[in-house]
Amino acid sequence: MKKLMKRRKAIVSLAFLAFFAFVAMVAISFFFEPVSIKLGSQFELVPIEVADYDINDIGVADVDQDGNLDIFTTNHSAQQSLLMGDGTGNFVEVLADVGLSQDRQFPRLENSGRSPKMDAPGFYIYRQDNLLHLVAKDTEAYGNASGSIELSAVVEFVGQSQAEVDVEQTELPSGIIASRIQFDISPGGHLDIKARESSSNKVVLEIPHQVQIADNLPLSAIFVGRDDVTPDAHSFDLMWRDRHSMSWSDVNDDGLLDVFVGRGGIHGKMRLFPEEFYDELFINQSDSFEDKVFQYQLIKDDCPGRQSAWVDFDSDGRLDIFNSCGRNASDGLERTHQLFQQQPDGTFEDIAPRVGLNLPRPGEFVWLDADSDHHPDVIAIQNRELSFYHNQDNTFTPEPIGNLADPRNKQFSVVDFDEDGSLDIYIAGKLKSYLLQKNEDNRYQMQDLREKGLPGYSLCANWVDYDNDGYSDLHVIPGGLYRQQPDHTFERIQVLSNEAAVVRERINRLIGWDRMRYQKARCSWFDYDNDGFRDLLMAQRRDSIFNRSVDRFKGEDPPSKKWEVRLFRNKGKNQLSDAHWLSVVLKGTPGNLEAIGASVSIETPAGTQTQIVGSSEGSYFSQGHYRMYFGLGSHEQATTVTVEWPDGRSQVLSNIAADQLLTIESIGSEASA
């Protein structure tokens, strides 16, 4: 009897300990951001180094067209990454080497969380944690470091030692305050400068800085950026560009991917500044990129760019650019979206007002040929309004779908998951997510996510057949993988999930606390090692109540700009020997070599899967992942592979062997593996 009582007491004690441990875990997760990811047996964490400061977007493209997928990021005015993959899991950073730095004269001048090494005596100029730092290190041999900096912003000095400073401020007709800083820094001294808006405490980085350094300092002793680049003269400009999106395509049909870069709008106040601002169009010169935005006549026109995408909206065989713009906070005016139509001579003209796509409010979008008439349509968010814009003879007619719970950033993910011949769309949202499917009238409508077993909220989402069983599954953050069942419902399997964050969010929603609004994440699935099983690239901002409190105590502007980037390798090749696959890349015609707007249908005895070029896209605001991935399950070949090209032509290949990357060239050329 005593033994039984002791056993009961031990069980009760263990139960209490488990309960209190659970409560402590949840309580801690409210203040500290939980980062543990439940991997399961099919995934493993592999090391990768990515520019992780102030990420805006992360994406995938085969930049050098070698068949191996590469990784890129946009980081506002901070250091970016362009990682070239070799197909075995190795990546090499090349962004600065190929001329894609934000300041071409001073690579790695971008904002960062790190400072240069400062190994040699000299005068160092660099940006760290939003501040511009001037440091005179061991400059006794040259004397004081003196000069001036001019910029269109109010300046504050948040750190100063052995430095004399004089500031002259001038109010411009637009209300912007321009500053001219004259500095004189003794050896061993430093000056830390914060530039902000005239009417708020918001930091302003993306404006030119005109710098003049006294010539007592030799050029060889002046070091700019984290790469310690020496200037060509004592007078030079510094530039940061607030990059939001990167959209890749072969603009000039030379077989090399070029990239359109969409830039922000200085908190919606760009038009108030005296400088001219432009987006960027980098043309690939084989070993480097050159900005040709003026040659192609892409006019920014005060657009606070958010998302961009290439699309042949008028089916003329030439790719156009759709660029979403945000609200201009300076005057309450809304900057309408831009549709740059490519002209026969290769230049671009904004025709959005003529075709009904001069949408006035900020919001995300996705292009797809919803009615299979070879004229791409677009689904777009305007504040809380979700609408389908039907392309009818190159004029767009809005058809309302419904209202969203909140207007914050959304991500579209597109695939025909139930294989009924119509594309399905999952819209990831922090407060609420949505599923769009066609009804009996062939119109998109919102479906009940609970009936399908899909998550009701998410930070990011991708359709992915992670186990190549022939069914498209859904991955979201924080909930992880939702595996599709044969009846086209879904079951959460607690793989690649953040269970602490899931529990915390459930409690938040019970008590009505919108905790997820502080969170941001990006996720993209791609086959980085070419083994046929897609791997997960995930970035999440480390932002918690604790982090925000620390930032405020340090006098910094929350939220935290530090992200955590992780790469998870899919080990399915070693574990699922009966799961076959087929990856497809299309080679289109000149003007649209990526075949954007095409669809591929793969038939096996189990059914027909359909994807569009871009179904694999995991970026929020960018574009470039044009490879398509099909799981074939136990089938060792595809009975047919049917391509619907953007111009309306069809091409059918029969009895295609599984387990290969298949490249299909437009009609007139043979398919090659």
Side-chain angles (χ1 to χ4, degrees), residues 9 40-41 87 150 152 172 224 229 354 395 474 484 506 574 598:
K9 286 182 179 179
S41 61
E150 297 183 31
S152 299
L172 304 179
V224 181
V229 178
R354 299 209 303 262
T395 299
L474 185 72
Q484 186 177 174
R506 287 174 179 170
N574 302 325

Side-chain angles (χ1 to χ4, degrees), residues 133 148 373 463:
H133 297 269
S148 65
D373 64 352
W463 295 108

Side-chain angles (χ1 to χ4, degrees), residues 171-353:
E171 183 173 355
L172 304 179
S174 63
I176 291 292
I177 302 296
S179 300
R180 186 175 191 272
I181 307 167
Q182 290 185 296
F183 59 85
D184 187 68
I185 306 175
S186 301
H190 69 90
L191 184 63
D192 306 327
I193 305 170
K194 175 182 177 180
R196 63 172 178 82
E197 288 185 352
S198 306
S199 57
S200 75
N201 199 41
K202 290 183 178 179
V203 174
V204 177
L205 305 184
E206 56 273 27
I207 54 175
H209 292 41
Q210 289 83 42
V211 181
Q212 177 70 51
I213 306 297
D215 58 11
N216 63 298
L217 280 174
L219 294 177
S220 60
I222 302 174
F223 306 108
V224 181
R226 288 189 298 115
D227 269 6
D228 299 341
V229 178
T230 57
D232 297 328
H234 285 84
S235 179
F236 51 89
D237 292 344
L238 304 178
M239 189 64 198
W240 298 265
R241 298 181 188 272
D242 189 23
R243 290 173 174 170
H244 285 187
S245 65
M246 298 183 79
S247 296
W248 301 82
S249 75
D250 185 357
V251 177
N252 54 358
D253 299 323
D254 62 356
L256 302 171
L257 276 192
D258 313 299
V259 60
F260 173 81
V261 181
R263 297 173 54 191
I266 317 181
H267 309 302
K269 299 183 179 181
M270 179 180 293
R271 68 176 310 186
L272 300 181
F273 287 79
E275 297 87 359
E276 290 288 335
F277 296 90
Y278 303 92
D279 290 319
E280 299 162 286
L281 180 61
F282 287 99
I283 302 301
N284 195 334
Q285 309 291 329
S286 181
D287 58 352
S288 64
F289 289 82
E290 185 176 348
D291 187 9
K292 297 291 185 82
V293 70
F294 298 117
Q295 175 181 325
Y296 285 86
Q297 299 181 24
L298 287 161
I299 308 300
K300 189 169 181 61
D301 195 25
D302 196 27
C303 168
R306 295 165 63 90
Q307 180 185 0
S308 61
W310 294 96
V311 60
D312 183 8
F313 86 95
D314 52 2
S315 302
D316 65 354
R318 296 186 295 269
L319 286 178
D320 316 297
I321 303 174
F322 191 55
N323 195 28
S324 71
C325 304
R327 184 182 178 90
N328 192 323
S330 62
D331 50 17
L333 298 177
E334 291 158 332
R335 295 299 175 257
T336 60
H337 290 14
Q338 299 169 318
L339 178 59
F340 291 105
Q341 182 187 48
Q342 188 173 173
Q343 306 301 306
D345 63 359
T347 62
F348 291 86
E349 179 186 356
D350 181 15
I351 64 163

Side-chain angles (χ1 to χ4, degrees), residues 261-547:
V261 181
R263 297 173 54 191
I266 317 181
H267 309 302
K269 299 183 179 181
M270 179 180 293
R271 68 176 310 186
L272 300 181
F273 287 79
E275 297 87 359
E276 290 288 335
F277 296 90
Y278 303 92
D279 290 319
E280 299 162 286
L281 180 61
F282 287 99
I283 302 301
N284 195 334
Q285 309 291 329
S286 181
D287 58 352
S288 64
F289 289 82
E290 185 176 348
D291 187 9
K292 297 291 185 82
V293 70
F294 298 117
Q295 175 181 325
Y296 285 86
Q297 299 181 24
L298 287 161
I299 308 300
K300 189 169 181 61
D301 195 25
D302 196 27
C303 168
R306 295 165 63 90
Q307 180 185 0
S308 61
W310 294 96
V311 60
D312 183 8
F313 86 95
D314 52 2
S315 302
D316 65 354
R318 296 186 295 269
L319 286 178
D320 316 297
I321 303 174
F322 191 55
N323 195 28
S324 71
C325 304
R327 184 182 178 90
N328 192 323
S330 62
D331 50 17
L333 298 177
E334 291 158 332
R335 295 299 175 257
T336 60
H337 290 14
Q338 299 169 318
L339 178 59
F340 291 105
Q341 182 187 48
Q342 188 173 173
Q343 306 301 306
D345 63 359
T347 62
F348 291 86
E349 179 186 356
D350 181 15
I351 64 163
R354 299 209 303 262
V355 301
L357 285 182
N358 55 329
L359 309 184
R361 293 183 289 276
E364 290 70 47
F365 62 84
V366 64
W367 286 87
L368 70 166
D369 184 5
D371 49 6
S372 302
D373 64 352
H374 305 291
H375 293 282
D377 314 292
V378 63
I379 294 177
I381 297 170
Q382 288 284 277
N383 197 11
R384 296 177 185 269
E385 299 172 5
L386 178 68
S387 298
F388 172 75
Y389 292 83
H390 190 195
N391 187 346
Q392 298 174 299
D393 296 325
N394 304 328
T395 299
F396 292 82
T397 304
E399 299 175 3
I401 296 175
N403 293 325
L404 306 180
D406 73 293
R408 285 171 284 187
N409 289 348
K410 301 292 188 296
Q411 181 190 21
F412 291 90
S413 191
V414 180
V415 78
D416 178 15
F417 76 82
D418 54 5
E419 301 181 10
D420 65 351
S422 297
L423 294 170
D424 310 302
I425 305 165
Y426 183 86
I427 306 175
K430 296 179 183 181
L431 187 59
K432 186 177 181 180
S433 296
Y434 300 87
L435 176 67
L436 303 184
Q437 291 185 295
K438 285 192 173 180
N439 59 18
E440 297 81 3
D441 297 327
N442 207 32
R443 293 174 178 268
Y444 278 106
Q445 68 178 22
M446 297 177 181
Q447 303 293 332
D448 188 344
L449 290 167
R450 292 171 297 180
E451 290 184 0
K452 300 291 185 181
L454 290 170
Y457 63 89
S458 49
L459 294 173
C460 65
N462 291 136
W463 295 108
V464 54
D465 185 358
Y466 79 97
D467 54 1
N468 284 336
D469 66 351
Y471 295 102
S472 294
D473 313 300
L474 185 72
H475 172 259
V476 301
I477 293 179
L481 279 165
Y482 287 73
R483 191 168 189 264
Q484 186 177 174
Q485 308 301 304
D487 64 353
H488 303 307
T489 61
F490 294 80
E491 178 184 353
R492 194 168 86 90
I493 60 175
Q494 296 189 24
V495 173
L496 294 174
S497 59
N498 186 329
E499 292 302 312
V502 170
V503 172
R504 182 191 65 189
E505 188 58 26
R506 287 174 179 170
I507 295 173
N508 286 340
R509 289 170 186 263
L510 285 174
I511 64 177
W513 186 19
D514 185 9
R515 175 69 180 82
M516 188 169 278
R517 64 178 177 166
Y518 298 125
Q519 310 302 307
K520 286 187 177 181
R522 305 288 183 262
C523 46
S524 189
W525 286 80
F526 70 119
D527 186 7
Y528 79 83
D529 52 3
N530 292 325
D531 67 353
F533 286 81
R534 291 168 71 180
D535 314 291
L536 171 61
L537 178 66
M538 187 177 82
Q540 191 162 8
R541 189 174 71 184
R542 297 292 304 277
D543 186 21
S544 64
I545 295 175
F546 176 79
N547 288 340

Side-chain angles (χ1 to χ4, degrees), residues 7-252:
R7 192 173 300 167
R8 286 179 177 175
K9 286 182 179 179
I11 293 173
V12 171
S13 298
L14 287 173
F16 270 110
L17 284 173
F19 173 75
F20 284 119
F22 173 78
V23 171
M25 178 192 72
V26 173
I28 290 172
S29 76
F30 274 83
F31 296 94
F32 299 88
E33 184 60 29
V35 296
S36 177
I37 300 296
K38 190 173 182 179
L39 296 182
S41 61
Q42 193 173 326
F43 295 89
E44 63 178 355
L45 180 65
V46 296
I48 188 170
E49 292 187 10
V50 180
D52 56 7
Y53 188 86
D54 203 14
I55 289 176
N56 186 64
D57 205 4
I58 192 165
V60 171
D62 185 2
V63 174
D64 54 2
Q65 300 287 276
D66 65 348
N68 302 315
L69 293 172
D70 314 304
I71 297 170
F72 65 90
T73 68
T74 62
N75 303 60
H76 296 285
S77 291
Q79 179 65 47
Q80 300 171 244
S81 276
L82 177 58
L83 300 172
M84 308 304 289
D86 66 359
T88 67
N90 297 315
F91 292 91
V92 178
E93 176 62 73
V94 302
L95 186 130
D97 297 333
V98 298
L100 288 176
S101 294
Q102 296 192 24
D103 190 312
R104 261 72 84 185
Q105 183 181 1
F106 301 110
R108 295 190 177 90
L109 172 67
E110 293 90 341
N111 194 23
S112 170
R114 296 181 290 273
S115 61
K117 294 180 179 179
M118 292 189 280
D119 294 329
F123 184 49
Y124 290 83
I125 304 174
Y126 63 95
R127 190 176 287 283
Q128 179 183 3
D129 293 329
N130 289 343
L131 302 180
L132 184 65
H133 297 269
L134 312 181
V135 179
K137 175 180 169 55
D138 301 331
T139 56
E140 287 83 357
Y142 314 115
N144 290 2
S146 58
S148 65
I149 300 177
E150 297 183 31
L151 67 160
S152 299
V154 174
V155 295
E156 298 177 8
F157 304 107
V158 298
Q160 184 175 345
S161 175
Q162 302 182 58
E164 295 183 4
V165 184
D166 181 65
V167 180
E168 178 184 342
Q169 294 187 335
T170 304
E171 183 173 355
L172 304 179
S174 63
I176 291 292
I177 302 296
S179 300
R180 186 175 191 272
I181 307 167
Q182 290 185 296
F183 59 85
D184 187 68
I185 306 175
S186 301
H190 69 90
L191 184 63
D192 306 327
I193 305 170
K194 175 182 177 180
R196 63 172 178 82
E197 288 185 352
S198 306
S199 57
S200 75
N201 199 41
K202 290 183 178 179
V203 174
V204 177
L205 305 184
E206 56 273 27
I207 54 175
H209 292 41
Q210 289 83 42
V211 181
Q212 177 70 51
I213 306 297
D215 58 11
N216 63 298
L217 280 174
L219 294 177
S220 60
I222 302 174
F223 306 108
V224 181
R226 288 189 298 115
D227 269 6
D228 299 341
V229 178
T230 57
D232 297 328
H234 285 84
S235 179
F236 51 89
D237 292 344
L238 304 178
M239 189 64 198
W240 298 265
R241 298 181 188 272
D242 189 23
R243 290 173 174 170
H244 285 187
S245 65
M246 298 183 79
S247 296
W248 301 82
S249 75
D250 185 357
V251 177
N252 54 358

